[in-house]
Amino acid sequence: YQEMSAPHLPKDGEDLREADYMTACWRWKYREITGATSLEALAKEGNLVLAFLENWWSFLQKAEPKSRFLDLTRLPWNALPAPSSQDPHGIPAEVKTSIEAIQTQRRSWLLPKTWTVQRAQQDADGIKPWPMDTPVNGKRWVNVVFGDLGDGNKGDWAFLENPEFQRKGKWEGYFDWLATQHDADRKAIEAATTSGQPLQNEAELRERLAAAETLLDMLGKHPAGLPIDPKAVIVQAPRVLRLPVPEGTDRFKAKGRLDLNHPDAEFATIQWLATSDTPPDPTQIIPGVLTIWKRSSKANQVTMGDFNQMKSVFPDSLERRLERVSQNFYFAEGKGPGVYYYNDIQLRDLITPEQSTFLKQRLIDWRFVREKSLPKNMAPEWDQQALEAVFEFASRAWRRPLLDEEKEKLTAIYKDGIAKELDRESAAREVLVRVLVSPAFLFKLEQGSEPGIHPVQPWELASRLSYFLWSSMPDAPLRNKAAQNTLAKPEVLQAEIKRMLSDERATALAREFAGQWFEFHGFDGHLKVDATKFPEFTPELRQDLYQEVVAFFTHIIRNNRPVREILEADYTFLNERLAKFYGIPKVQGSELRQCKVDQYSRGGILGMGALLTKTSYPHRTSPVLRGSWLLHNVLGTPTPPPPNDVPKLDESVAAAKTLRERLERHRADQACSVCHDKIDPLGFALESFDAIGRLRTVDDSGAAIDNSARTKDGHAFAGLPGLRTYLQGREPEFYTLFSRKLIGYALGRTVLPSDKLLMDEMRETLTKGDGTFSSAVLALVQSRQFENRKNE
């Protein structure tokens, strides 16, 4: 016990000095040469803990417990050469190097945050692929290694899917590049052969060509003739695929997936990784790399049994608390099962209070479910546990603490169910039904018994915040602040707003608030496009267009970007399909990512296909719809409804050659010009986009597009860049509209004349400050309107 508190005992975060322990054990193994007198003396000499050293010695010089993974440490140590008789006290360089390699190998099983590979081994379920990722740093080859774990390769078939490489910060599809490069290399060799001219770097080029031909020949082909992804290859371990990559590649990534349809998949145990360094031997265990096998197979049982032996000896997630190891050694009289072993009672003392509470509750739950039927003497305790769970559920569902009389009513419903001979689970379900049909769940109820203006209660403020920013119930941190009655404090409120806006649940604000404001809500189901004229407008493209707008507003909100970027951003979010639709090159992959697009007449909401499509007719563009949308939803300038006797726009070609000319004739009518003088110029600026948002240079009649515009007050501009500049000059109007929309959305009511001061304050905040989204939200949430309720 004195040794446990010795000053040399490793503390949290310090090196475990495994190499020192293995070196001391090596000296003890060859004590006849080294002159070592005892393990105790070696421990004292090396400033080591004797208990740990004795455990290491017990582990290294025995063959038990058997495990292929323990043998990765045990066998190389036993193969270390003996010390030199000429220098019995010295440690040969070969021994030092080998021990350090053993230590590196053993630690390779550790992942960040004290999680371990052997604890993360997974059964393959055919759904989740397991990724491989490696830095390349300008090298020209990547090795993709499929290892058979040293137990043979029966059933060890796996797919290599979606390989990509990163170059200059952008990800590109690997096989697309490889096919293009293969054609270029083949043509270069053929040209050199024909001309008889020597080819620079011919050997490298031929090597790359041969590798490309091998990979492309495997692409999309299953050895058993089964259908596979056309951009995937299937490989049987052990094998190393040598992949050429383009110059300047920074990273390479791909996904691996076990072939569960192979008839021998029951026997599969396989590892895979990607590396730009020398590849490891695929016929041996690759230390630190995830092992995959088929769920509930014999291979699972055998391999996981070996892993469990390693976990027993090296339970890494708590290995730095080494004092317990000494106790194990002394309590078990030197016969403990491992070097870093803890029993359940010891673990309970070491885990966090939250983990301890969770463990205790699980143990309580286990007492009730371990028997097929509940013993009668445990029924009262079961009832109490069930009711406490129901009360917790009701508190979350009703978004506030329960009153005593409410608990009594819920208890009575439960007991009534038992009295009617319902089983206890069914009786509890009756209570849950009562909770979910309660007005307290279905409505956001707030106290309103006394007339006048009153501050909302902490729980009501939490609900206002969560449904405003997340369209959902308060989470645990928000409920805790409400329970502590600290939520209304300015510094707490500001911190919560920042946390909630950066949370992924703030995507709801992008979908709901922005969707209602700019009218793209429900665009993913938009069917008002002429499918005959625009066959390119597929359901997949429609979904991409909708997700582009959502991703854009989510970025604005979660990254606290300036509100002005809604109109002025030089970027949007694209995937490969959407980029091709827009005519933007060098975007690959199915996932949306931020792309700078100002040079392609895109950026911000004005260039988004979803909004351009929504403001068009099914078969053609409409400067009127687009201009009206800009007036109402960007500038907040309403226009009166058209007179009942307004003439319809003449759609005949004979009426005028272009749509602009037809609108100009229409606007010549005095009754029409009042509105159209405001509307049409804004819509004309977007005429470079067709009815589904693609750029164009000619209209449906074949005439060149004229996207110039001039407002009634003399402002002239052209195209998206000119429109954006014009709107920048009217930024205060946009900020006012944004403030009005946000107030109405947050409070769930019509904006009132009494809200004008708040709108002015929010506009000033945006104009004079950094103009970020959170600054407007904070001004609103700290307002009299948001923090109070007016009872009639």
Side-chain angles (χ1 to χ4, degrees):
Y1 289 107
Q2 290 177 348
E3 195 165 27
M4 286 171 54
S5 59
H8 59 257
L9 191 66
K11 305 299 181 183
D12 276 5
E14 290 185 352
D15 192 343
L16 296 175
R17 303 176 64 194
E18 294 167 314
D20 291 344
Y21 285 95
M22 283 188 279
T23 302
C25 289
W26 173 81
R27 293 181 63 189
W28 181 241
K29 177 181 180 180
Y30 295 104
R31 50 190 175 274
E32 294 180 357
I33 301 175
T34 62
T37 58
S38 66
L39 283 173
E40 184 176 5
L42 287 168
K44 187 175 182 179
E45 178 186 339
N47 200 26
L48 306 174
V49 178
L50 177 60
F52 305 161
L53 181 57
E54 289 175 326
N55 275 346
W56 266 102
W57 172 250
S58 175
F59 158 64
L60 289 172
Q61 54 88 37
K62 291 183 178 179
E64 299 292 339
K66 293 185 179 299
S67 166
R68 288 173 286 168
F69 302 99
L70 287 177
D71 285 345
L72 294 174
T73 298
R74 190 160 42 199
L75 296 182
W77 180 88
N78 277 284
L80 294 173
S84 169
S85 56
Q86 284 78 27
D87 185 16
H89 301 293
I91 303 174
E94 180 185 357
V95 172
K96 288 183 179 180
T97 302
S98 297
I99 287 179
E100 288 173 0
I102 297 171
Q103 177 176 263
T104 300
Q105 169 274 124
R106 210 201 71 70
R107 293 182 181 180
S108 71
W109 296 103
L110 304 181
L111 291 177
K113 299 182 180 179
T114 69
W115 195 246
T116 60
V117 171
Q118 72 265 26
R119 290 174 183 268
Q121 295 304 313
Q122 291 293 331
D123 305 354
D125 57 10
I127 300 174
K128 183 177 180 180
W130 294 97
M132 55 188 83
D133 188 354
T134 183
V136 180
N137 299 327
K139 297 180 182 179
R140 300 303 303 272
W141 294 85
V142 168
N143 296 298
V144 177
V145 184
F146 291 88
D148 65 8
L149 216 69
D151 58 356
N153 64 352
K154 189 174 183 180
D156 290 349
W157 288 89
F159 297 104
L160 175 68
E161 300 176 336
N162 301 321
E164 295 180 289
F165 62 90
Q166 187 184 54
R167 183 171 50 172
K168 296 180 180 179
K170 293 184 177 180
W171 286 98
E172 303 176 42
Y174 176 75
F175 284 128
D176 292 337
W177 169 84
L178 187 66
T180 303
Q181 187 63 49
H182 169 267
D183 292 342
D185 290 345
R186 179 176 52 78
K187 290 176 182 178
I189 291 175
E190 289 175 353
T193 302
T194 302
S195 65
Q197 296 295 323
L199 188 63
Q200 188 178 9
N201 300 325
E202 180 176 355
E204 178 185 348
L205 192 148
R206 288 187 178 277
E207 182 184 10
R208 185 171 63 202
L209 182 65
E213 288 175 346
T214 299
L215 291 167
L216 293 173
D217 187 58
M218 298 168 63
L219 193 61
K221 298 178 182 177
H222 194 290
L226 300 175
I228 68 170
D229 188 326
K231 290 191 175 182
V233 300
I234 185 168
V235 180
Q236 184 179 26
R239 183 164 182 180
V240 178
L241 293 180
R242 187 162 161 78
L243 278 59
V245 293
E247 186 175 358
T249 298
D250 298 317
R251 294 195 73 83
F252 175 89
K253 67 179 181 181
K255 294 177 180 178
R257 188 192 302 271
L258 183 64
D259 181 11
L260 294 177
N261 293 322
H262 195 280
D264 290 333
E266 183 79 14
F267 305 98
T269 54
I270 189 169
Q271 297 177 294
W272 52 68
L273 79 155
T275 179
S276 59
D277 298 326
T278 303
D281 183 357
T283 66
Q284 303 296 323
I285 293 175
I286 307 174
V289 175
L290 199 68
T291 304
I292 303 295
W293 52 76
K294 183 178 179 181
R295 179 168 291 178
S296 302
S297 64
K298 184 177 181 180
N300 174 356
Q301 300 171 6
V302 174
T303 309
M304 200 61 206
D306 281 356
F307 271 115
N308 286 334
Q309 291 294 347
M310 182 162 65
K311 286 197 296 184
S312 175
V313 174
F314 298 107
D316 308 294
S317 62
L318 290 167
E319 67 184 355
R320 287 174 296 183
R321 297 184 172 99
L322 297 178
E323 293 87 346
R324 286 296 188 188
V325 181
S326 291
Q327 289 184 348
N328 287 333
F329 177 79
Y330 288 116
F331 292 160
E333 298 180 354
K335 299 177 182 178
V339 180
Y340 302 129
Y341 176 77
Y342 304 88
N343 62 41
D344 289 347
I345 297 175
Q346 294 167 347
L347 280 174
R348 193 181 301 170
D349 295 336
L350 296 170
I351 59 181
T352 65
E354 293 79 9
Q355 292 170 327
S356 180
T357 300
F358 181 76
L359 175 61
K360 290 176 182 177
Q361 187 58 53
R362 282 297 178 92
L363 292 174
I364 292 172
D365 293 345
W366 172 244
R367 291 177 52 238
F368 293 117
V369 300
R370 64 186 176 188
E371 302 292 342
K372 289 185 177 180
S373 59
L374 182 70
K376 290 184 179 180
N377 64 329
M378 294 181 65
E381 188 180 356
W382 200 101
D383 294 340
Q384 184 62 34
Q385 291 286 331
L387 286 170
E388 287 179 5
V390 167
F391 296 158
E392 170 64 18
F393 175 81
S395 177
R396 295 181 64 187
W398 293 352
R399 300 172 291 278
R400 59 169 173 76
L402 268 60
L403 303 174
D404 289 341
E405 54 264 34
E406 291 172 330
K407 291 183 179 180
E408 291 172 1
K409 289 180 180 179
L410 296 178
T411 302
I413 294 172
Y414 177 76
K415 290 183 177 179
D416 183 60
I418 299 295
K420 292 178 180 177
E421 297 185 353
L422 291 178
D423 62 79
R424 282 176 160 74
E425 185 175 337
S426 299
R429 288 180 177 176
E430 293 289 315
V431 187
L432 296 183
V433 171
R434 172 64 181 84
V435 170
L436 295 175
V437 299
S438 167
F441 173 69
L442 299 174
F443 301 97
K444 291 190 294 178
L445 299 179
E446 295 179 349
Q447 293 184 6
S449 57
E450 295 293 330
I453 297 176
H454 302 277
V456 295
Q457 299 300 311
W459 293 95
E460 297 166 352
L461 181 59
S463 287
R464 284 193 174 195
L465 267 179
S466 67
Y467 283 96
F468 169 29
L469 301 181
W470 289 347
S471 298
S472 185
M473 61 191 289
D475 65 349
L478 203 54
R479 293 198 305 272
N480 290 339
K481 299 294 190 305
Q484 296 162 7
N485 200 20
T486 60
L487 186 56
K489 292 182 178 180
E491 65 276 12
V492 175
L493 198 57
Q494 187 170 0
E496 281 300 292
I497 290 172
K498 184 177 180 181
R499 178 185 71 85
M500 295 175 71
L501 286 175
S502 63
D503 191 280
E504 62 181 11
R505 285 168 285 190
T507 301
L509 192 60
R511 285 195 304 266
E512 302 300 329
F513 166 62
Q516 293 173 34
W517 175 12
F518 291 109
E519 301 178 10
F520 65 83
H521 197 279
F523 181 81
D524 50 343
H526 185 72
L527 301 175
K528 297 179 180 180
V529 172
D530 188 338
T532 303
K533 187 173 183 179
F534 300 108
E536 308 91 339
F537 196 79
T538 62
E540 293 78 15
L541 178 64
R542 183 177 64 223
Q543 183 70 23
D544 288 342
L545 290 168
Y546 173 69
Q547 291 301 333
E548 176 194 11
V549 196
V550 174
F552 175 78
F553 278 102
T554 299
H555 172 77
I556 294 283
I557 294 167
R558 293 188 63 192
N559 293 280
N560 198 25
R561 301 300 304 164
V563 173
R564 73 175 73 90
E565 286 189 7
I566 295 174
L567 301 179
E568 302 174 13
D570 62 357
Y571 61 86
T572 188
F573 286 78
L574 305 174
N575 60 14
E576 184 175 350
R577 178 169 47 223
L578 188 53
K580 287 181 179 179
F581 177 74
Y582 283 163
I584 298 173
K586 299 181 180 179
V587 179
Q588 294 187 335
S590 60
E591 296 180 1
L592 292 172
R593 78 287 309 270
Q594 186 176 344
C595 303
K596 189 173 181 180
V597 292
D598 53 330
Q599 61 179 314
Y600 303 104
S601 293
R602 302 282 176 182
I605 62 166
L606 301 178
M608 291 187 178
L611 300 175
L612 292 164
T613 303
K614 196 76 182 285
T615 53
S616 297
Y617 287 120
H619 63 290
R620 67 163 174 85
T621 62
S622 172
V624 176
L625 292 179
R626 288 177 177 175
S628 179
W629 179 83
L630 286 166
L631 277 178
H632 285 80
N633 298 296
V634 174
L635 297 176
T637 306
T639 55
N644 292 329
D645 58 349
V646 64
K648 291 186 64 176
L649 182 68
D650 190 349
E651 291 279 359
S652 66
V653 176
K657 185 176 182 180
T658 67
L659 177 60
R660 176 185 281 266
E661 292 172 355
R662 295 200 297 274
L663 284 170
E664 286 175 351
R665 290 187 179 185
H666 184 75
R667 195 163 64 246
D669 189 304
Q670 187 66 33
C672 302
S673 64
V674 175
C675 294
H676 282 273
D677 285 343
K678 300 177 183 179
I679 293 172
D680 292 0
L682 301 177
F684 285 147
L686 295 175
E687 272 296 275
S688 293
F689 299 99
D690 71 3
I692 56 174
R694 295 175 300 185
L695 280 171
R696 59 180 182 170
T697 56
V698 296
D699 64 13
D700 292 344
S701 67
I705 290 295
D706 180 3
N707 62 8
S708 63
R710 178 177 291 275
T711 63
K712 193 71 172 177
D713 56 3
H715 286 89
F717 49 88
L720 180 62
L723 176 61
R724 186 182 286 131
T725 301
Y726 172 73
L727 294 175
Q728 286 173 356
R730 301 182 67 175
E731 195 171 76
E733 296 171 64
F734 175 67
Y735 283 160
T736 299
L737 177 63
F738 167 75
S739 302
R740 180 159 62 86
K741 293 287 186 179
L742 195 65
I743 291 170
Y745 179 83
L747 300 179
R749 62 164 172 77
T750 302
V751 177
L752 305 174
S754 58
D755 297 323
K756 185 178 184 304
L757 289 177
L758 175 58
M759 278 193 290
D760 293 342
E761 178 187 343
M762 292 172 65
R763 185 186 64 244
E764 289 299 305
T765 298
L766 293 168
T767 304
K768 294 181 178 179
D770 54 11
T772 57
F773 193 90
S774 69
S775 64
V777 172
L778 182 62
L780 170 55
V781 170
Q782 292 182 320
S783 69
R784 171 180 56 86
Q785 288 91 327
F786 195 88
E787 294 188 339
N788 293 271
R789 174 179 175 81
K790 183 179 181 180
N791 299 327
E792 300 297 337

